Amino acid sequence: MSKNKKEIDKLRDDEYYYNGSKDKYFNTSEVKKLKVDTYKQFGVPMDSSHAFEFGKLFHTMVLEKDKLNLFPIYEGKTRSGKEFVKFCEDNNIEDKKTALLIADYEKAEEMTVSLLRNPILRDEIMSDSNLYEEPMIGEIQGHEKLFKCKADIITKKGLIIDLKSTACVSIDQFVRKGTYDLGYDVQAYIYSTLFNKPFKFIAVSKTKRFYKDGDFYYDVFNCSVSDETILRGKQKVTQALELWEQWHGPNKLYDMKESYYNQSF
């Protein structure tokens, strides 16, 4: 068994992937911080948020139902009161705003129903031939420090699918926000490069809507990734690696604590 194969097998464990190996590899989240205005945040742990915790819950609801018991869910309606405080203490939830309520669980269930209601997407997502939570490591742009990623889904046709929940209320808004604010082009480039496979996003809006007959739905955005998006992601990764070399690498040129921003009004 090759060294990479052994390491990839270790990365299947979430604890090792997210904590045990966090300093060994570049990953999408950290690379996205390597921009002119955020490079100082590289390596700084990301604070959790309610949106992040809900996204994990929804992801697990669709792909790993056997792990739903790992999510503490508060049965009350609001994040207040003595019982809620005790719930957070019992479950080691430091930031009470991130706690998941039963309403969050029910919304994730409803979003899952909307996602899997379409037979084409259902067959694409839920197949015995698919691989789920598949990790990969590898070299990008010849850099000596390797990259890692973990694909939500790899279909039997060799397509990588990344599943998102989103506050966006239209597919145009999702594409714009993903491009300009969330760095989804960087993610698409890294994943498609490491796996050498095409990539797309499937996102479910968190806005509940209703049909004329009263039945509910959540909009589903099916977004393939163009060559132009991959190229844009590649350019951003190139710039990110240059910033890493200058400010964080073993032969860094500058002291981050002495840096400042300079611009004319």
Side-chain angles (χ1 to χ4, degrees), residues 46-78:
M46 181 178 69
D47 291 335
S48 188
S49 66
H50 178 262
F52 180 73
E53 293 300 322
F54 180 85
K56 289 197 300 181
L57 174 66
F58 170 66
H59 177 282
T60 304
M61 185 81 69
V62 178
L63 301 178
E64 301 180 289
K65 284 192 173 182
D66 59 311
K67 294 184 179 181
L68 283 173
N69 63 320
L70 300 177
F71 289 86
I73 305 294
Y74 181 60
E75 296 290 336
K77 294 182 178 181
T78 62

Side-chain angles (χ1 to χ4, degrees), residues 136-153:
M136 181 58 67
I137 58 174
E139 179 185 283
I140 290 182
Q141 298 189 15
H143 203 279
E144 62 182 21
K145 186 172 180 177
L146 299 182
F147 286 68
K148 71 175 180 181
C149 69
K150 185 177 281 193
D152 288 348
I153 307 165

Side-chain angles (χ1 to χ4, degrees), residues 50-262:
H50 178 262
F52 180 73
E53 293 300 322
F54 180 85
K56 289 197 300 181
L57 174 66
F58 170 66
H59 177 282
T60 304
M61 185 81 69
V62 178
L63 301 178
E64 301 180 289
K65 284 192 173 182
D66 59 311
K67 294 184 179 181
L68 283 173
N69 63 320
L70 300 177
F71 289 86
I73 305 294
Y74 181 60
E75 296 290 336
K77 294 182 178 181
T78 62
R79 295 177 181 84
S80 62
K82 292 181 179 179
E83 290 185 2
F84 174 70
V85 171
K86 185 177 187 306
F87 166 82
C88 291
E89 291 173 349
D90 291 345
N91 290 281
N92 298 314
I93 299 173
E94 295 182 5
D95 186 348
K96 296 178 177 59
K97 295 190 297 293
T98 69
L100 295 169
L101 308 182
I102 189 64
D104 296 314
Y105 191 93
E106 291 169 350
K107 177 183 279 288
E109 282 188 315
E110 291 179 343
M111 289 169 62
T112 301
V113 169
S114 285
L115 171 63
L116 301 180
R117 182 175 281 170
N118 181 283
I120 295 175
L121 294 184
R122 183 174 64 245
D123 290 347
E124 193 172 43
I125 293 170
M126 311 301 292
S127 170
D128 292 339
S129 301
N130 288 352
L131 297 175
Y132 298 100
E133 295 296 316
E134 185 68 12
M136 181 58 67
I137 58 174
E139 179 185 283
I140 290 182
Q141 298 189 15
H143 203 279
E144 62 182 21
K145 186 172 180 177
L146 299 182
F147 286 68
K148 71 175 180 181
C149 69
K150 185 177 281 193
D152 288 348
I153 307 165
I154 302 179
T155 72
K156 57 186 176 183
K157 294 182 179 179
L159 172 67
I160 302 169
I161 298 175
D162 192 76
L163 192 62
K164 302 286 189 190
S165 60
T166 179
C168 295
V169 297
S170 71
I171 193 168
D172 287 342
Q173 184 185 22
F174 174 74
V175 170
R176 288 196 305 272
K177 190 172 182 63
T179 299
Y180 297 107
D181 297 335
L182 301 176
Y184 288 168
D185 47 0
V186 171
Q187 180 183 359
Y189 168 67
I190 291 174
Y191 281 52
S192 62
T193 300
L194 291 183
F195 282 103
N196 192 28
K197 298 180 186 298
F199 184 98
K200 79 169 182 177
F201 296 101
I202 297 179
V204 183
S205 174
K206 291 189 281 189
T207 298
K208 188 175 184 177
R209 302 181 188 276
F210 294 90
Y211 295 107
K212 186 177 180 179
D213 64 5
D215 193 9
F216 72 85
Y217 70 95
Y218 295 81
D219 284 321
V220 179
F221 309 139
N222 186 43
C223 301
S224 59
V225 173
S226 67
D227 291 341
E228 290 78 11
T229 295
I230 295 295
L231 178 58
R232 187 171 59 245
K234 179 179 181 180
Q235 292 168 340
K236 290 181 179 180
V237 169
T238 299
Q239 295 168 355
L241 292 176
E242 290 174 356
L243 283 168
W244 185 83
E245 295 285 357
Q246 293 170 351
W247 296 98
H248 297 277
N251 300 310
K252 62 185 178 182
L253 302 177
Y254 310 114
D255 185 343
M256 213 167 28
K257 294 185 178 180
E258 296 178 357
S259 69
Y260 60 92
Y261 300 106
N262 187 37

Side-chain angles (χ1 to χ4, degrees), residues 30 32-45 243-244 247-248 255-262:
E30 290 298 298
K32 288 190 293 187
K33 294 178 183 177
L34 289 167
K35 297 185 292 187
V36 172
D37 55 346
T38 56
Y39 68 88
K40 295 179 183 180
Q41 290 298 302
F42 180 83
V44 177
L243 283 168
W244 185 83
W247 296 98
H248 297 277
D255 185 343
M256 213 167 28
K257 294 185 178 180
E258 296 178 357
S259 69
Y260 60 92
Y261 300 106
N262 187 37

